[in-house]
Amino acid sequence: MTATPPDVIRCAYAELVVTDLAASRAFYVDVLGLVVTHEDDEALYLRAFEEYLHHSLVLRKGPTAALGVLAYRVRTPGDLDLAEEYYRALGVRVERRPAGATRGIGEAVRVTDPLGFPVEFFHDAEHVERFTQRYDVHGAGALSRLDHFNLDTPDVPAARKYYEGLGFRVSEDIQDDEGTVYAAWLFRKPTVHDVALTGGDGPRLHHIAFASHERHQILHICDHLGALRKSGTIERGPGRHGVSNAFYLYVRDPDGHRIEIYTHDYYTGDPDNPVITWDVHDNQRRDWWGNPVVPSWYTDASPVLDLDGALQPVLARSEPREADVTIGADGFSFSTGEAEFKLGEQV
């Protein structure tokens, strides 16, 4: 492989297929507080308060809830030519899309990447009002920006090698003493990750994440859901991750797509930023406070579409799964560091 990869700046937007636009609008706009850039009978184009590109999330109406595309912004228009050449050399399907093929987005290259995900690269995009100081419209749970994608893929080392070939760097990973890699976090912008790779059946979308500035904004979203008697929307958290050190909350939208609200990770921009490796048996890797992980967090994920809009086949992971080898991954077992037990046995 001698082709030069495109210079990726960051994760930029995701498109989710949803089955009920009105229900999705109530969740993403009325509860999470995202800003509507444009809406029609077929789609919603949303952004967070500090974002000035046309959107960071598209909700498109369709018959089956799924991931439509993940998009990365590249540094220059010339990087689109590099992207096209790079992926043609990889032997995967490549499409050159004219400006406006996606509302608000300039010319783009869309591919089915080697992991089976629909991925777009673009540079130009329509600019819209940045709401950074529009405190008159900020809710108490204001979200600032899109932060990352998390992908389920059967072979994490192969996926990691592919993303490193694109110039991504690893910040953290999870392994065991036998060398099995269960997950890896990789970045282009100087935070913990733009994309995380979770070992599981795939290709599937585990979640997309939006960043807030403060923990209290995440707590407000929990209170808001409670006030609506929709606390069942909360899948996991609030809590603090060991990996990334971020304060987190996972919620499920009306179609089951998983959204993380995320804050307080750390800077990774120096060239010698060290990689942190976690033992898969360390009960604090997924939750710093040691709380068990709800089983659905390991098992559930959104299917993905190919470039024709058909569901991609899902391949099973052949290596050990994190949920099967770790105390706490069944949602009921717990480790104190000295003893392991099922919740309820200590009573």
Side-chain angles (χ1 to χ4, degrees):
M1 178 68 185
T2 58
T4 300
D7 186 359
V8 175
I9 298 173
R10 61 177 178 87
C11 66
Y13 80 84
E15 179 181 301
L16 300 178
V17 179
V18 300
T19 59
D20 185 332
L21 272 179
S24 294
R25 192 188 199 284
F27 176 78
Y28 286 96
V29 178
D30 298 341
V31 176
L32 297 188
L34 293 176
V35 178
V36 177
T37 302
H38 176 83
E39 60 183 317
D40 54 40
D41 291 340
E42 298 300 320
L44 274 168
Y45 298 80
L46 307 173
R47 67 189 192 275
F49 283 99
E50 293 185 357
E51 295 175 321
Y52 65 90
L53 297 191
H54 186 269
H55 59 263
S56 57
L57 179 63
V58 181
L59 303 175
R60 192 173 301 281
K61 186 178 180 180
T64 303
L67 169 68
V69 73
L70 301 171
Y72 294 101
R73 196 176 192 197
V74 295
R75 193 165 302 279
T76 70
D79 282 295
L80 298 182
D81 295 329
L82 294 179
E84 184 172 4
E85 295 167 6
Y86 186 80
Y87 282 95
R88 292 198 186 281
L90 286 177
V92 300
R93 182 173 172 183
V94 180
E95 292 182 355
R96 193 79 178 229
R97 291 166 60 87
T102 296
R103 180 181 290 271
I105 300 298
E107 187 179 7
V109 171
R110 190 170 284 196
V111 307
T112 301
D113 77 7
L115 310 182
F117 289 91
V119 175
E120 179 176 287
F121 300 92
F122 73 95
H123 172 73
D124 290 330
E126 180 182 337
H127 288 197
V128 292
E129 181 183 0
R130 179 180 249 164
F131 276 20
T132 306
Q133 294 179 321
R134 285 295 309 275
Y135 297 113
D136 54 318
V137 295
H138 285 205
L143 303 181
S144 56
R145 57 179 173 80
L146 177 71
D147 189 82
H148 64 263
F149 310 135
N150 188 305
L151 312 179
D152 276 0
T153 186
D155 188 339
V156 175
R160 170 177 173 166
K161 182 178 180 181
Y162 157 66
Y163 266 101
E164 287 179 317
L166 276 175
F168 285 68
R169 292 164 54 200
V170 177
S171 58
E172 306 197 25
D173 62 13
I174 297 174
Q175 302 188 28
D176 63 18
D177 290 340
E178 288 72 46
T180 301
V181 182
Y182 295 86
W185 287 255
L186 299 99
F187 64 93
R188 287 293 292 171
K189 69 181 185 309
T191 64
V192 170
H193 57 318
D194 288 272
V195 65
L197 306 169
T198 297
D201 300 345
R204 296 187 301 165
L205 172 69
H206 190 273
H207 66 264
I208 64 173
F210 286 91
S212 67
H213 280 301
E214 301 292 344
R215 287 171 291 181
H216 71 77
Q217 293 163 322
I218 293 176
L219 296 176
H220 174 79
I221 291 172
C222 295
D223 283 338
H224 191 159
L225 288 167
L228 296 174
R229 297 288 178 172
K230 292 185 177 180
S231 58
T233 299
I234 299 170
E235 180 186 33
R236 183 179 166 208
R240 184 175 294 281
H241 285 308
V243 175
S244 81
N245 193 53
F247 197 80
Y248 70 84
L249 173 72
Y250 294 95
V251 293
R252 305 288 286 271
D253 81 357
D255 284 289
H257 294 304
R258 181 181 292 108
I259 305 297
E260 182 183 17
I261 314 301
Y262 179 96
T263 192
H264 293 178
D265 63 350
Y266 58 88
Y267 172 79
T268 58
D270 284 10
D272 57 352
N273 182 75
V275 177
I276 299 172
T277 293
W278 292 79
D279 187 328
V280 72
H281 302 292
D282 186 338
N283 203 46
Q284 291 183 269
R285 77 205 182 287
R286 291 294 188 183
D287 186 279
W288 184 243
W289 306 334
N291 290 323
V293 180
V294 61
S296 62
W297 194 89
Y298 284 110
T299 59
D300 295 0
S302 298
V304 307
L305 302 180
D306 65 18
L307 298 189
D308 295 319
L311 289 172
Q312 284 277 48
V314 175
L315 302 177
R317 176 174 169 85
S318 59
E319 292 188 293
R321 298 167 183 262
E322 188 177 347
D324 296 334
V325 301
T326 305
I327 291 294
D330 62 2
F332 297 99
S333 56
F334 190 78
S335 173
T336 65
E338 299 176 354
E340 297 174 350
F341 55 86
K342 293 287 185 180
L343 295 180
E345 290 179 359
Q346 74 274 29
V347 177

